[in-house]
Amino acid sequence: MDSSVPDEIQEAVIETLSVGATMLLPPLRERMELLHSLLPQGPDRWESLSKGQRMQLDIILTSLQDHTHVASLLGFSCPPRPRGPGLLLRPGPLLRSPGTNPDTHLAEILMKTLLRNLGFYTDQAFGELEKNSDKLLQGTSSSDSSQPAHLHELLCSLQKQLLAYCHINCVTENSSSVALLHKHLQLLLPHATDIFSRSTTLLQESSWNGSIREKLRVVIYVSAAGSMLCQIVNSLLLLPVSVARPLLSYLLDLLPPLDCLNRLLPAATPLEDQELQWPLHGTPDFVDPAGQPLSQPAQSWVWLVDLERTAGLLVGRCLGACCRSTPL
C-alpha cells in the first residue's frame, strides 16, 4: 500500500485486501500483538502512520469486532482453534464452564489502549476547536479523519459484551469481570469529566460562535463522553447496586461539569419548562407537553440532558444503597 504504483493498481490491491485480508490474519493473540505495535502510543504518532499501516489497523480492528473474538478477548470463551491446514476454517467458541473466573488481562490491556487512543483523537479535535474559537468554522476539520473508523466501535463492543456478561451472570463484587469493569470505568469517567469541563470552558469563551457549538457536539458524541458513556450509564442501572457503588466518587465528580455544560446548551431550559407544564393528577384537559416539538438546536442536545438525568438516578441508587443497613 505504501509503494509508489499507479492508481488503478492501488485500487485493485485495496479491493483484493478488503475481500481476502481476513483469511491471512494470524491467530487472536498474535493479532493482538500486531494491533498494539500499530496503535499509536502518543498523540503525535497519528500523523506518522502510513497509508498501509492505517489500512492494516482498520483490517485488524474490524476483524476483532466479531462477537466470538470479543468473547475470547474478555475470557468468556476459549479462542477458536483452527481445524485442518491453514486458518481458513473458524469453529464456534468453546464456552467457559460456569463458576470459573474469566482471564481478563488481555482485555484490560486492549481496552486501556483503545481508550487512550480515543483520548488522543478527542484531544486533537479539542485543540483544533480551541485554536479556531474566534473564527467561523465551515466544513469538516482535518482531525475528523485522523481516527481509525473502527476504534470507537471495538471499544463499545467490548464494553457492551462485558456489561451484558455481568448482567446475565449476576456477578458479585469479587468477580474478575466486575474488577475489569471498575478498572476501565475508573479511567473512562475522569476522562469524560475532563471533556465536559473543557467543553464548558470552550463554550464560555466563544458563546457568540454557533459553529463552534455544532462542531463541539460532534466531537463530544464520538468521544468517550458521548454515546459510549450513555450506553455505560444506562447499563449500570440494570446491574446490582453493589457493582456501581464503588464508582460513586467518580460519578459525583462527573455530575457538576456535566450540569454546567447543559446549562450553557439550548436543550435543558425548554425540557424543564415542559416538565413544569405537566398536568397534575392526570387531568385530561391539558395537552401532553412531551408531545410538543423542540427547536432544532435543542433537539441536538437532548441526549446530553438524558445522560445527566440517568447519571443522577444512578448516583441516587448508590446513595440509597449506602443508607440501607446490611440484610439480616
Side-chain angles (χ1 to χ4, degrees), residues 77-281:
S77 66
C78 300
R81 291 195 299 266
R83 284 187 289 205
L87 297 172
L88 302 187
L89 298 178
R90 187 179 60 198
L94 299 175
L95 295 180
R96 187 172 296 278
S97 56
T100 60
N101 266 336
D103 180 12
T104 58
H105 179 67
L106 199 63
E108 181 185 343
I109 296 172
L110 177 60
M111 292 172 79
K112 188 184 296 185
T113 306
L114 290 172
L115 180 61
R116 184 170 66 237
N117 276 273
L118 199 62
F120 293 158
Y121 164 75
T122 305
D123 187 62
Q124 183 181 6
F126 262 109
E128 190 165 320
L129 284 178
E130 289 163 353
K131 183 175 63 177
N132 297 308
S133 61
D134 57 341
K135 305 170 188 172
L136 289 173
L137 299 178
Q138 293 180 346
T140 306
S141 66
S142 60
S143 65
D144 292 341
S145 59
S146 63
Q147 179 190 12
H150 306 292
L151 195 69
H152 187 278
E153 287 83 350
L154 178 56
L155 185 54
C156 280
S157 184
L158 285 159
Q159 288 169 172
K160 284 188 280 191
Q161 194 154 156
L162 176 60
L163 288 160
Y165 179 88
C166 293
H167 175 61
I168 292 171
N169 291 279
C170 301
V171 292
T172 63
E173 296 175 59
N174 300 323
S175 164
S176 61
S177 300
V178 173
L180 172 62
L181 182 65
H182 286 164
K183 287 177 184 175
H184 179 61
L185 294 184
Q186 284 165 6
L187 295 174
L188 188 145
L189 290 172
H191 175 57
T193 301
D194 182 60
I195 289 174
F196 293 139
S197 300
R198 201 167 173 180
S199 301
T200 301
T201 304
L202 181 63
L203 283 181
Q204 288 171 338
E205 292 175 353
S206 56
S207 56
W208 60 272
N209 194 341
S211 62
I212 285 285
R213 188 172 67 190
E214 184 56 30
K215 288 280 184 184
L216 179 65
R217 183 182 64 81
V218 176
V219 171
I220 295 177
Y221 195 75
V222 300
S223 73
S227 59
M228 185 183 295
L229 185 61
C230 294
Q231 292 171 354
I232 290 170
V233 173
N234 279 280
S235 300
L236 287 174
L237 285 172
L238 301 175
L239 298 178
V241 182
S242 59
V243 174
R245 192 166 51 195
L247 302 168
L248 179 58
S249 62
Y250 297 93
L251 292 166
L252 287 171
D253 290 340
L254 179 78
L255 276 176
L258 178 54
D259 184 63
C260 289
L261 178 59
N262 268 321
R263 290 178 184 277
L264 294 174
L265 294 169
T269 301
L271 285 174
E272 287 180 356
D273 290 343
Q274 279 186 358
E275 287 185 351
L276 291 174
Q277 297 170 24
W278 275 77
L280 298 174
H281 310 297

